[in-house]
Amino acid sequence: MELSRPNRLGRRAFSALAGTTVLGLALGGSVSSAALPYSGGPGPVPTGPPPGPPGADGRRHRVALDRYSLLVDGRRLALWSGELHPFRLPSPSLWRDVLQKMRAYGHNAVSVRLAWNQHSPAPGTYDFTGVRDLDLFLRTAAECSLYVVLHPGPYIGADVDAGGLPGWLTTVGGRARTTDPAYLRHADEWLSRVNAIVARHQFTRGAGTVLLYRADTPERAGLDHLHARLRADGVEVPVLHPGSPLAWEEPERTREAAEARRLHFARLAHGSTLHNVRMAFGGTSWGWLAAPSAPSPTYDPTAAIDEARRPTAKLAPLHQLGHLLRHVPDFTRMTGAPAVRAADDRLRVRHLANPDTGAHAYVLRNDSAADVTSTLPMGGSEVEVTVPARDAKLLATGLRLGAGRRLAYATVQPMLAMSVGRLDIAAFVGRAGEMAHLVLDCPGEPWPTRLDEEAAWTFDQGKLHVMVPLKEDRLTRVRVRSGDSDRTLLLLFADDAASLRLWPYETPSGRVLVRGPELLREAVLDGATIRLTGDTVGERELEVWAPPGITDITWNGETVQSGLGRALSLMAVWPLRGVPELVLPALGGWRRRTENFEAGPDYGDEGWTVADRRTSHSTTPVPDGGPVLFADDYGFHYGDVWYRARLSGAFGLESVSLAYSTGAGGLLMAWLDGEPLGSHRPGGAGDGKGTWTATADFRLPEPLRVRGGGDSGPVLSVLVRRTQHGQDAYRAARGLTTARFEGASPDVRWRIMGAAAPDPVRGPLNHGGLYGERHGWHLPGYDDGGWEPGSPAAVPDEDRRQGVTWYRTTFRLDVPPETDASVGLVLDGAPDRDLRVQVFLNGWNMGEYVSGAKDTPHTFVLPNGILRTRAAANTLALAVLSDGDTAPGPGPVRLELLGSAAGGVPVKPVPSPGRRRG
């Protein structure tokens, strides 16, 4: 069901209603829509503990909202989602790795987009197996205790070819993203296939954790149509759309930690409880997936978890805020409070308050180029605070930190407040070098104990002042007891680095907190033992706060010797082991072969498609009197396309002009009877919608002009790269558009050839129309014994040719089973070489490298699963396009260890079928 119907309930009326009642959204199928006062009477649902971690528990659940937050089974939920595109990580085993990391770093939800073009190579044909197994992904998300926000499109944007629309949609009638029946017929079929899977994983039914459904509905009529579609398909979870009362915003990407703080604190300051980090994991635009707007195979180099699945410097504030929203429920119902001003006007302050708990929040933003120290009225005191240049801070007063204790104020950000047995734990975070000042309201005189030497404290007039200088990657602990409570409060102070090794975890038997390792994946309470799994990089301390009765620890299945520490924790006696050193092999044994046989006059093109159509659904006009040459109209939607034209009556031909249309980085090469005419690239910035058009004018050398007197005539051969479609103009033509001839008016018969049938395992975007691709040169098992020895690093400069050169080699890795290694392929080619290189690993197209292009990475991340890491052979193939002015070799090619950890998840090899025999 949708969140609102704007044509029936105005935004002002909705706000008034939401202040006194709750709007029912999805009620386990029992009620279609209703106003449900979950609190038992008029007024908003009060602030309280959040719902527990989600899972496929077999029970019905209610999902609703008011103007403050989502409500799950009557409890407020602040959604802290991170975006992950499964299709950008083509190794299903690694989905679990990234999802576990997202949960550990504070996310309680994953936002998922589905690319229609990945699943549908042709009308009526759909594939949800292998790396496209949506059912497996949704099961894994539920096992990782993450809600799912699903965005199946049909249009998703995301710098994907055609915004995710399949290539074949360019050749059918109807305008995408409208209610045009010709389009809806295909879009409905796609959504119905998706919805059949989603319906089995809905949180409202207890069958999974799909919580919300995002709509691609620019028009109101489209939303009504979508509703009917969802009802027919049995999908009942709430639908988010542009008119929803709780907005699903698409925040811009952030480059570093301070920028991430400014962005997400600003959203918090405006009362948002529906947060999304884009991207939590960027991944790879492998194959021909990338839209023209994507500059490289690396989708988002600023993602919190990078393409090699490593944490980045931007992760710390996201980790802290995620756990704050999860473990401090006050932030699920914050409203604007009376304005507060800092003494220095360079600090902008947003003041919020929770009417249920009396907690206050202050978002301080410094947009100036200098650090600002100023005073700010907080908790009845003038508090001195410092906000670094172009940064932000989130401070709070009035938070309950366990039984009978409240935070008067603090100059550092709260990260979590939780109870473990009879111990209350509160963590506060700031930047290294900062002096943390925390003040507690204490009804009776406390008994503080300094557990680490950095801390100092004083007690004055009912307030405990704690001062801690934050040191790099250092946790400081202070224990507070008092005679009026039998509970102990433990205060933790951490800088960004130390906060990234604090891991709260909720088990069915109670909460635990773990400190030390680089990652905590799971915690299981088993009798008197807590069984922990996770990752370490270096040697690390291990400290565990667990419920009473837990006396023993295991780490990744091994017993850890431990004892009770002064902080009422279990402390490992010996550090956890780090990751062992790993040496990667050098790449050698290369073999080389050239191709572009299609350029020769005697090449047999009888099986090619005749290009003789006269009409097209493309938005590019069909030339007067000429045939349609657009690649999509002949079923070639991705990768390179070859054309061959037999020119009858071409005697005296002086020049050829070839107009063509491509995505970013387009390229055209032409030959006449096998003789190179030259190469051409479109210039400029394109049309702003992802299309570059150009005309390549080739003047024929004198010896070529006298050919063509016979009936057969010479053969013009043309190779065009590449056919990627713009997100905003997916129907613009790709490939040749027109051809003109001067000096003669030949009769022209065109044939076209592109990619072979879609790979049934790797999908329709894996390969294009190069000869080697069509004949399996990129696949494992291809017999390259007849190729000549030749390394891509040892091509003489005088060995220049226009066309395609292939290189192949094999290598083996021997990574220990307990080690998770992320490996990259680095092309160290000279930047002055103008080359295009496609990288194939075990037949999977890892993307294209364009030498000399600005900001293009030289490193391709090779995902485990596709990469065989356990003493198995890997096949590496490079397809190099050179323009004739440079040697066809990208230079040295090597493997590089991008990161490793002791731990990881079990990785199942991704099927990588080899070349078919016979």
Side-chain angles (χ1 to χ4, degrees), residues 83-90 98 279-286 289 296-309 861:
E83 191 154 329
L84 160 67
H85 302 158
F87 55 83
R88 284 195 160 103
L89 184 56
V98 176
M279 298 289 296
F281 172 79
T284 304
S285 296
W286 56 281
L289 177 67
S296 76
T298 300
Y299 173 53
D300 184 1
T302 70
I305 302 171
D306 73 11
E307 190 181 7
R309 300 178 288 112
V861 176

PDB file of all heavy atoms in Angstrom, residues 83-90 98 279-286 289 296-309 861:
ATOM      1  N   GLU A  83      22.904   1.808   0.580  1.00  0.00           N
ATOM      2  CA  GLU A  83      22.564   1.308  -0.753  1.00  0.00           C
ATOM      3  C   GLU A  83      23.628   0.346  -1.269  1.00  0.00           C
ATOM      4  O   GLU A  83      24.830   0.593  -1.157  1.00  0.00           O
ATOM      5  CB  GLU A  83      22.372   2.472  -1.728  1.00  0.00           C
ATOM      6  CG  GLU A  83      21.776   2.029  -3.038  1.00  0.00           C
ATOM      7  CD  GLU A  83      21.013   3.132  -3.738  1.00  0.00           C
ATOM      8  OE1 GLU A  83      20.445   4.005  -3.051  1.00  0.00           O
ATOM      9  OE2 GLU A  83      20.993   3.126  -4.979  1.00  0.00           O
ATOM     10  N   LEU A  84      23.153  -0.733  -1.835  1.00  0.00           N
ATOM     11  CA  LEU A  84      23.991  -1.785  -2.412  1.00  0.00           C
ATOM     12  C   LEU A  84      23.268  -2.320  -3.639  1.00  0.00           C
ATOM     13  O   LEU A  84      22.076  -2.624  -3.584  1.00  0.00           O
ATOM     14  CB  LEU A  84      24.199  -2.910  -1.382  1.00  0.00           C
ATOM     15  CG  LEU A  84      24.634  -4.280  -1.894  1.00  0.00           C
ATOM     16  CD1 LEU A  84      26.035  -4.215  -2.472  1.00  0.00           C
ATOM     17  CD2 LEU A  84      24.568  -5.323  -0.786  1.00  0.00           C
ATOM     18  N   HIS A  85      23.976  -2.409  -4.756  1.00  0.00           N
ATOM     19  CA  HIS A  85      23.404  -2.968  -5.976  1.00  0.00           C
ATOM     20  C   HIS A  85      23.976  -4.367  -6.177  1.00  0.00           C
ATOM     21  O   HIS A  85      25.160  -4.513  -6.523  1.00  0.00           O
ATOM     22  CB  HIS A  85      23.746  -2.086  -7.180  1.00  0.00           C
ATOM     23  CG  HIS A  85      23.282  -0.680  -7.045  1.00  0.00           C
ATOM     24  ND1 HIS A  85      23.837   0.371  -7.760  1.00  0.00           N
ATOM     25  CD2 HIS A  85      22.316  -0.135  -6.262  1.00  0.00           C
ATOM     26  CE1 HIS A  85      23.233   1.498  -7.427  1.00  0.00           C
ATOM     27  NE2 HIS A  85      22.302   1.217  -6.522  1.00  0.00           N
ATOM     28  N   PRO A  86      23.196  -5.411  -5.945  1.00  0.00           N
ATOM     29  CA  PRO A  86      23.743  -6.776  -6.065  1.00  0.00           C
ATOM     30  C   PRO A  86      24.378  -7.038  -7.419  1.00  0.00           C
ATOM     31  O   PRO A  86      25.369  -7.777  -7.507  1.00  0.00           O
ATOM     32  CB  PRO A  86      22.511  -7.660  -5.840  1.00  0.00           C
ATOM     33  CG  PRO A  86      21.558  -6.812  -5.059  1.00  0.00           C
ATOM     34  CD  PRO A  86      21.778  -5.412  -5.529  1.00  0.00           C
ATOM     35  N   PHE A  87      23.834  -6.430  -8.480  1.00  0.00           N
ATOM     36  CA  PHE A  87      24.374  -6.698  -9.805  1.00  0.00           C
ATOM     37  C   PHE A  87      25.775  -6.106  -9.996  1.00  0.00           C
ATOM     38  O   PHE A  87      26.449  -6.439 -10.975  1.00  0.00           O
ATOM     39  CB  PHE A  87      23.428  -6.180 -10.896  1.00  0.00           C
ATOM     40  CG  PHE A  87      23.071  -4.712 -10.780  1.00  0.00           C
ATOM     41  CD1 PHE A  87      23.905  -3.736 -11.283  1.00  0.00           C
ATOM     42  CD2 PHE A  87      21.879  -4.320 -10.174  1.00  0.00           C
ATOM     43  CE1 PHE A  87      23.576  -2.388 -11.190  1.00  0.00           C
ATOM     44  CE2 PHE A  87      21.542  -2.979 -10.070  1.00  0.00           C
ATOM     45  CZ  PHE A  87      22.396  -2.015 -10.582  1.00  0.00           C
ATOM     46  N   ARG A  88      26.199  -5.253  -9.083  1.00  0.00           N
ATOM     47  CA  ARG A  88      27.552  -4.691  -9.179  1.00  0.00           C
ATOM     48  C   ARG A  88      28.571  -5.501  -8.376  1.00  0.00           C
ATOM     49  O   ARG A  88      29.734  -5.113  -8.281  1.00  0.00           O
ATOM     50  CB  ARG A  88      27.555  -3.231  -8.727  1.00  0.00           C
ATOM     51  CG  ARG A  88      26.961  -2.294  -9.776  1.00  0.00           C
ATOM     52  CD  ARG A  88      27.298  -0.845  -9.488  1.00  0.00           C
ATOM     53  NE  ARG A  88      27.154  -0.046 -10.681  1.00  0.00           N
ATOM     54  CZ  ARG A  88      26.120   0.761 -10.946  1.00  0.00           C
ATOM     55  NH1 ARG A  88      25.145   0.878 -10.074  1.00  0.00           N
ATOM     56  NH2 ARG A  88      26.071   1.454 -12.063  1.00  0.00           N
ATOM     57  N   LEU A  89      28.145  -6.609  -7.816  1.00  0.00           N
ATOM     58  CA  LEU A  89      29.042  -7.528  -7.117  1.00  0.00           C
ATOM     59  C   LEU A  89      28.695  -8.937  -7.594  1.00  0.00           C
ATOM     60  O   LEU A  89      27.956  -9.666  -6.927  1.00  0.00           O
ATOM     61  CB  LEU A  89      28.875  -7.395  -5.601  1.00  0.00           C
ATOM     62  CG  LEU A  89      29.817  -8.230  -4.724  1.00  0.00           C
ATOM     63  CD1 LEU A  89      31.275  -7.933  -5.059  1.00  0.00           C
ATOM     64  CD2 LEU A  89      29.541  -7.974  -3.253  1.00  0.00           C
ATOM     65  N   PRO A  90      29.217  -9.349  -8.755  1.00  0.00           N
ATOM     66  CA  PRO A  90      28.782 -10.621  -9.356  1.00  0.00           C
ATOM     67  C   PRO A  90      29.425 -11.835  -8.699  1.00  0.00           C
ATOM     68  O   PRO A  90      30.031 -12.674  -9.364  1.00  0.00           O
ATOM     69  CB  PRO A  90      29.222 -10.462 -10.818  1.00  0.00           C
ATOM     70  CG  PRO A  90      30.422  -9.576 -10.743  1.00  0.00           C
ATOM     71  CD  PRO A  90      30.159  -8.615  -9.613  1.00  0.00           C
ATOM     72  N   VAL A  98      29.408  -8.253   2.410  1.00  0.00           N
ATOM     73  CA  VAL A  98      29.115  -6.824   2.447  1.00  0.00           C
ATOM     74  C   VAL A  98      27.907  -6.536   3.336  1.00  0.00           C
ATOM     75  O   VAL A  98      27.894  -5.554   4.085  1.00  0.00           O
ATOM     76  CB  VAL A  98      28.906  -6.279   1.021  1.00  0.00           C
ATOM     77  CG1 VAL A  98      28.503  -4.806   1.058  1.00  0.00           C
ATOM     78  CG2 VAL A  98      30.181  -6.437   0.199  1.00  0.00           C
ATOM     79  N   MET A 279      26.689   5.781  -1.705  1.00  0.00           N
ATOM     80  CA  MET A 279      26.506   4.334  -1.637  1.00  0.00           C
ATOM     81  C   MET A 279      27.192   3.789  -0.380  1.00  0.00           C
ATOM     82  O   MET A 279      28.248   4.290   0.011  1.00  0.00           O
ATOM     83  CB  MET A 279      27.151   3.673  -2.856  1.00  0.00           C
ATOM     84  CG  MET A 279      26.574   4.061  -4.195  1.00  0.00           C
ATOM     85  SD  MET A 279      24.928   3.388  -4.461  1.00  0.00           S
ATOM     86  CE  MET A 279      25.243   1.631  -4.463  1.00  0.00           C
ATOM     87  N   ALA A 280      26.587   2.739   0.207  1.00  0.00           N
ATOM     88  CA  ALA A 280      27.291   2.018   1.259  1.00  0.00           C
ATOM     89  C   ALA A 280      28.398   1.164   0.649  1.00  0.00           C
ATOM     90  O   ALA A 280      29.484   1.047   1.200  1.00  0.00           O
ATOM     91  CB  ALA A 280      26.322   1.150   2.048  1.00  0.00           C
ATOM     92  N   PHE A 281      28.101   0.561  -0.510  1.00  0.00           N
ATOM     93  CA  PHE A 281      29.083  -0.195  -1.280  1.00  0.00           C
ATOM     94  C   PHE A 281      28.858   0.128  -2.740  1.00  0.00           C
ATOM     95  O   PHE A 281      27.753  -0.039  -3.251  1.00  0.00           O
ATOM     96  CB  PHE A 281      28.932  -1.698  -1.025  1.00  0.00           C
ATOM     97  CG  PHE A 281      29.785  -2.553  -1.930  1.00  0.00           C
ATOM     98  CD1 PHE A 281      31.137  -2.726  -1.662  1.00  0.00           C
ATOM     99  CD2 PHE A 281      29.243  -3.169  -3.035  1.00  0.00           C
ATOM    100  CE1 PHE A 281      31.923  -3.516  -2.504  1.00  0.00           C
ATOM    101  CE2 PHE A 281      30.021  -3.947  -3.879  1.00  0.00           C
ATOM    102  CZ  PHE A 281      31.363  -4.123  -3.609  1.00  0.00           C
ATOM    103  N   GLY A 282      29.899   0.613  -3.412  1.00  0.00           N
ATOM    104  CA  GLY A 282      29.730   1.044  -4.795  1.00  0.00           C
ATOM    105  C   GLY A 282      29.797  -0.096  -5.788  1.00  0.00           C
ATOM    106  O   GLY A 282      28.937  -0.263  -6.633  1.00  0.00           O
ATOM    107  N   GLY A 283      30.859  -0.901  -5.696  1.00  0.00           N
ATOM    108  CA  GLY A 283      30.985  -2.035  -6.594  1.00  0.00           C
ATOM    109  C   GLY A 283      31.466  -1.630  -7.975  1.00  0.00           C
ATOM    110  O   GLY A 283      31.991  -0.538  -8.196  1.00  0.00           O
ATOM    111  N   THR A 284      31.248  -2.531  -8.929  1.00  0.00           N
ATOM    112  CA  THR A 284      31.830  -2.425 -10.264  1.00  0.00           C
ATOM    113  C   THR A 284      30.749  -2.390 -11.335  1.00  0.00           C
ATOM    114  O   THR A 284      29.818  -3.186 -11.311  1.00  0.00           O
ATOM    115  CB  THR A 284      32.753  -3.630 -10.529  1.00  0.00           C
ATOM    116  OG1 THR A 284      33.748  -3.691  -9.504  1.00  0.00           O
ATOM    117  CG2 THR A 284      33.432  -3.513 -11.878  1.00  0.00           C
ATOM    118  N   SER A 285      30.899  -1.483 -12.281  1.00  0.00           N
ATOM    119  CA  SER A 285      30.054  -1.502 -13.481  1.00  0.00           C
ATOM    120  C   SER A 285      30.761  -2.385 -14.513  1.00  0.00           C
ATOM    121  O   SER A 285      31.381  -1.912 -15.459  1.00  0.00           O
ATOM    122  CB  SER A 285      29.846  -0.082 -14.018  1.00  0.00           C
ATOM    123  OG  SER A 285      29.136   0.709 -13.101  1.00  0.00           O
ATOM    124  N   TRP A 286      30.665  -3.682 -14.288  1.00  0.00           N
ATOM    125  CA  TRP A 286      31.404  -4.632 -15.108  1.00  0.00           C
ATOM    126  C   TRP A 286      30.698  -4.834 -16.446  1.00  0.00           C
ATOM    127  O   TRP A 286      29.547  -4.450 -16.638  1.00  0.00           O
ATOM    128  CB  TRP A 286      31.574  -5.953 -14.360  1.00  0.00           C
ATOM    129  CG  TRP A 286      30.296  -6.586 -13.903  1.00  0.00           C
ATOM    130  CD1 TRP A 286      29.561  -6.253 -12.816  1.00  0.00           C
ATOM    131  CD2 TRP A 286      29.579  -7.625 -14.562  1.00  0.00           C
ATOM    132  NE1 TRP A 286      28.444  -7.030 -12.734  1.00  0.00           N
ATOM    133  CE2 TRP A 286      28.432  -7.882 -13.806  1.00  0.00           C
ATOM    134  CE3 TRP A 286      29.814  -8.367 -15.721  1.00  0.00           C
ATOM    135  CZ2 TRP A 286      27.501  -8.857 -14.169  1.00  0.00           C
ATOM    136  CZ3 TRP A 286      28.897  -9.342 -16.088  1.00  0.00           C
ATOM    137  CH2 TRP A 286      27.758  -9.578 -15.305  1.00  0.00           C
ATOM    138  N   LEU A 289      27.794  -2.706 -18.575  1.00  0.00           N
ATOM    139  CA  LEU A 289      26.738  -2.219 -17.685  1.00  0.00           C
ATOM    140  C   LEU A 289      26.697  -0.700 -17.578  1.00  0.00           C
ATOM    141  O   LEU A 289      25.630  -0.104 -17.437  1.00  0.00           O
ATOM    142  CB  LEU A 289      26.938  -2.828 -16.293  1.00  0.00           C
ATOM    143  CG  LEU A 289      25.987  -2.390 -15.183  1.00  0.00           C
ATOM    144  CD1 LEU A 289      24.580  -2.893 -15.474  1.00  0.00           C
ATOM    145  CD2 LEU A 289      26.463  -2.926 -13.840  1.00  0.00           C
ATOM    146  N   SER A 296      34.153   5.281 -15.243  1.00  0.00           N
ATOM    147  CA  SER A 296      35.062   4.143 -15.133  1.00  0.00           C
ATOM    148  C   SER A 296      34.295   2.943 -14.620  1.00  0.00           C
ATOM    149  O   SER A 296      33.149   3.058 -14.164  1.00  0.00           O
ATOM    150  CB  SER A 296      36.208   4.474 -14.173  1.00  0.00           C
ATOM    151  OG  SER A 296      35.755   4.425 -12.831  1.00  0.00           O
ATOM    152  N   PRO A 297      34.904   1.749 -14.657  1.00  0.00           N
ATOM    153  CA  PRO A 297      34.217   0.579 -14.094  1.00  0.00           C
ATOM    154  C   PRO A 297      33.938   0.696 -12.604  1.00  0.00           C
ATOM    155  O   PRO A 297      33.013   0.041 -12.101  1.00  0.00           O
ATOM    156  CB  PRO A 297      35.197  -0.564 -14.387  1.00  0.00           C
ATOM    157  CG  PRO A 297      35.993  -0.102 -15.564  1.00  0.00           C
ATOM    158  CD  PRO A 297      36.144   1.374 -15.360  1.00  0.00           C
ATOM    159  N   THR A 298      34.722   1.480 -11.865  1.00  0.00           N
ATOM    160  CA  THR A 298      34.446   1.682 -10.445  1.00  0.00           C
ATOM    161  C   THR A 298      33.239   2.590 -10.320  1.00  0.00           C
ATOM    162  O   THR A 298      33.291   3.757 -10.699  1.00  0.00           O
ATOM    163  CB  THR A 298      35.657   2.305  -9.733  1.00  0.00           C
ATOM    164  OG1 THR A 298      36.774   1.428  -9.863  1.00  0.00           O
ATOM    165  CG2 THR A 298      35.361   2.535  -8.262  1.00  0.00           C
ATOM    166  N   TYR A 299      32.129   2.051  -9.748  1.00  0.00           N
ATOM    167  CA  TYR A 299      30.891   2.833  -9.775  1.00  0.00           C
ATOM    168  C   TYR A 299      30.968   4.055  -8.878  1.00  0.00           C
ATOM    169  O   TYR A 299      30.673   5.166  -9.297  1.00  0.00           O
ATOM    170  CB  TYR A 299      29.701   1.960  -9.375  1.00  0.00           C
ATOM    171  CG  TYR A 299      28.429   2.767  -9.228  1.00  0.00           C
ATOM    172  CD1 TYR A 299      27.996   3.590 -10.259  1.00  0.00           C
ATOM    173  CD2 TYR A 299      27.664   2.718  -8.066  1.00  0.00           C
ATOM    174  CE1 TYR A 299      26.845   4.344 -10.142  1.00  0.00           C
ATOM    175  CE2 TYR A 299      26.509   3.463  -7.942  1.00  0.00           C
ATOM    176  CZ  TYR A 299      26.108   4.271  -8.976  1.00  0.00           C
ATOM    177  OH  TYR A 299      24.975   5.025  -8.852  1.00  0.00           O
ATOM    178  N   ASP A 300      31.350   3.873  -7.618  1.00  0.00           N
ATOM    179  CA  ASP A 300      31.399   5.016  -6.708  1.00  0.00           C
ATOM    180  C   ASP A 300      32.669   4.919  -5.869  1.00  0.00           C
ATOM    181  O   ASP A 300      32.694   4.250  -4.840  1.00  0.00           O
ATOM    182  CB  ASP A 300      30.166   5.037  -5.796  1.00  0.00           C
ATOM    183  CG  ASP A 300      30.147   6.275  -4.902  1.00  0.00           C
ATOM    184  OD1 ASP A 300      31.067   7.105  -5.003  1.00  0.00           O
ATOM    185  OD2 ASP A 300      29.206   6.420  -4.097  1.00  0.00           O
ATOM    186  N   PRO A 301      33.729   5.606  -6.286  1.00  0.00           N
ATOM    187  CA  PRO A 301      34.979   5.537  -5.519  1.00  0.00           C
ATOM    188  C   PRO A 301      34.885   6.206  -4.158  1.00  0.00           C
ATOM    189  O   PRO A 301      35.798   6.068  -3.346  1.00  0.00           O
ATOM    190  CB  PRO A 301      35.982   6.264  -6.428  1.00  0.00           C
ATOM    191  CG  PRO A 301      35.153   7.143  -7.298  1.00  0.00           C
ATOM    192  CD  PRO A 301      33.858   6.428  -7.497  1.00  0.00           C
ATOM    193  N   THR A 302      33.779   6.918  -3.884  1.00  0.00           N
ATOM    194  CA  THR A 302      33.608   7.569  -2.579  1.00  0.00           C
ATOM    195  C   THR A 302      32.744   6.747  -1.632  1.00  0.00           C
ATOM    196  O   THR A 302      32.390   7.227  -0.553  1.00  0.00           O
ATOM    197  CB  THR A 302      32.979   8.962  -2.751  1.00  0.00           C
ATOM    198  OG1 THR A 302      31.601   8.819  -3.156  1.00  0.00           O
ATOM    199  CG2 THR A 302      33.715   9.783  -3.785  1.00  0.00           C
ATOM    200  N   ALA A 303      32.374   5.525  -1.996  1.00  0.00           N
ATOM    201  CA  ALA A 303      31.492   4.718  -1.157  1.00  0.00           C
ATOM    202  C   ALA A 303      32.146   4.422   0.192  1.00  0.00           C
ATOM    203  O   ALA A 303      33.369   4.362   0.317  1.00  0.00           O
ATOM    204  CB  ALA A 303      31.139   3.406  -1.863  1.00  0.00           C
ATOM    205  N   ALA A 304      31.310   4.219   1.209  1.00  0.00           N
ATOM    206  CA  ALA A 304      31.809   3.974   2.562  1.00  0.00           C
ATOM    207  C   ALA A 304      32.618   2.681   2.635  1.00  0.00           C
ATOM    208  O   ALA A 304      33.625   2.598   3.339  1.00  0.00           O
ATOM    209  CB  ALA A 304      30.640   3.927   3.541  1.00  0.00           C
ATOM    210  N   ILE A 305      32.166   1.646   1.918  1.00  0.00           N
ATOM    211  CA  ILE A 305      32.930   0.408   1.766  1.00  0.00           C
ATOM    212  C   ILE A 305      33.365   0.378   0.312  1.00  0.00           C
ATOM    213  O   ILE A 305      32.530   0.449  -0.592  1.00  0.00           O
ATOM    214  CB  ILE A 305      32.073  -0.825   2.108  1.00  0.00           C
ATOM    215  CG1 ILE A 305      31.537  -0.727   3.537  1.00  0.00           C
ATOM    216  CG2 ILE A 305      32.870  -2.107   1.929  1.00  0.00           C
ATOM    217  CD1 ILE A 305      30.510  -1.792   3.879  1.00  0.00           C
ATOM    218  N   ASP A 306      34.669   0.306   0.066  1.00  0.00           N
ATOM    219  CA  ASP A 306      35.133   0.493  -1.301  1.00  0.00           C
ATOM    220  C   ASP A 306      34.931  -0.756  -2.144  1.00  0.00           C
ATOM    221  O   ASP A 306      34.453  -1.794  -1.674  1.00  0.00           O
ATOM    222  CB  ASP A 306      36.583   0.993  -1.331  1.00  0.00           C
ATOM    223  CG  ASP A 306      37.598  -0.079  -0.949  1.00  0.00           C
ATOM    224  OD1 ASP A 306      37.241  -1.264  -0.845  1.00  0.00           O
ATOM    225  OD2 ASP A 306      38.778   0.294  -0.760  1.00  0.00           O
ATOM    226  N   GLU A 307      35.302  -0.640  -3.412  1.00  0.00           N
ATOM    227  CA  GLU A 307      35.067  -1.699  -4.384  1.00  0.00           C
ATOM    228  C   GLU A 307      35.753  -2.997  -4.001  1.00  0.00           C
ATOM    229  O   GLU A 307      35.297  -4.087  -4.359  1.00  0.00           O
ATOM    230  CB  GLU A 307      35.575  -1.211  -5.749  1.00  0.00           C
ATOM    231  CG  GLU A 307      35.204  -2.066  -6.921  1.00  0.00           C
ATOM    232  CD  GLU A 307      35.768  -1.514  -8.217  1.00  0.00           C
ATOM    233  OE1 GLU A 307      36.555  -0.538  -8.171  1.00  0.00           O
ATOM    234  OE2 GLU A 307      35.423  -2.059  -9.272  1.00  0.00           O
ATOM    235  N   ALA A 308      36.849  -2.889  -3.237  1.00  0.00           N
ATOM    236  CA  ALA A 308      37.568  -4.072  -2.764  1.00  0.00           C
ATOM    237  C   ALA A 308      37.032  -4.564  -1.427  1.00  0.00           C
ATOM    238  O   ALA A 308      37.672  -5.396  -0.773  1.00  0.00           O
ATOM    239  CB  ALA A 308      39.064  -3.767  -2.649  1.00  0.00           C
ATOM    240  N   ARG A 309      35.879  -4.049  -0.989  1.00  0.00           N
ATOM    241  CA  ARG A 309      35.186  -4.437   0.252  1.00  0.00           C
ATOM    242  C   ARG A 309      35.957  -4.012   1.502  1.00  0.00           C
ATOM    243  O   ARG A 309      35.836  -4.626   2.549  1.00  0.00           O
ATOM    244  CB  ARG A 309      34.923  -5.948   0.266  1.00  0.00           C
ATOM    245  CG  ARG A 309      34.057  -6.437  -0.878  1.00  0.00           C
ATOM    246  CD  ARG A 309      33.859  -7.942  -0.870  1.00  0.00           C
ATOM    247  NE  ARG A 309      35.078  -8.632  -1.246  1.00  0.00           N
ATOM    248  CZ  ARG A 309      35.801  -9.385  -0.430  1.00  0.00           C
ATOM    249  NH1 ARG A 309      35.405  -9.587   0.823  1.00  0.00           N
ATOM    250  NH2 ARG A 309      36.902  -9.978  -0.848  1.00  0.00           N
ATOM    251  N   VAL A 861      39.207  -4.466  -9.771  1.00  0.00           N
ATOM    252  CA  VAL A 861      38.993  -5.357  -8.636  1.00  0.00           C
ATOM    253  C   VAL A 861      38.443  -6.679  -9.160  1.00  0.00           C
ATOM    254  O   VAL A 861      37.458  -6.705  -9.913  1.00  0.00           O
ATOM    255  CB  VAL A 861      38.031  -4.724  -7.616  1.00  0.00           C
ATOM    256  CG1 VAL A 861      37.733  -5.703  -6.491  1.00  0.00           C
ATOM    257  CG2 VAL A 861      38.634  -3.438  -7.064  1.00  0.00           C
TER     258      VAL A 861
END
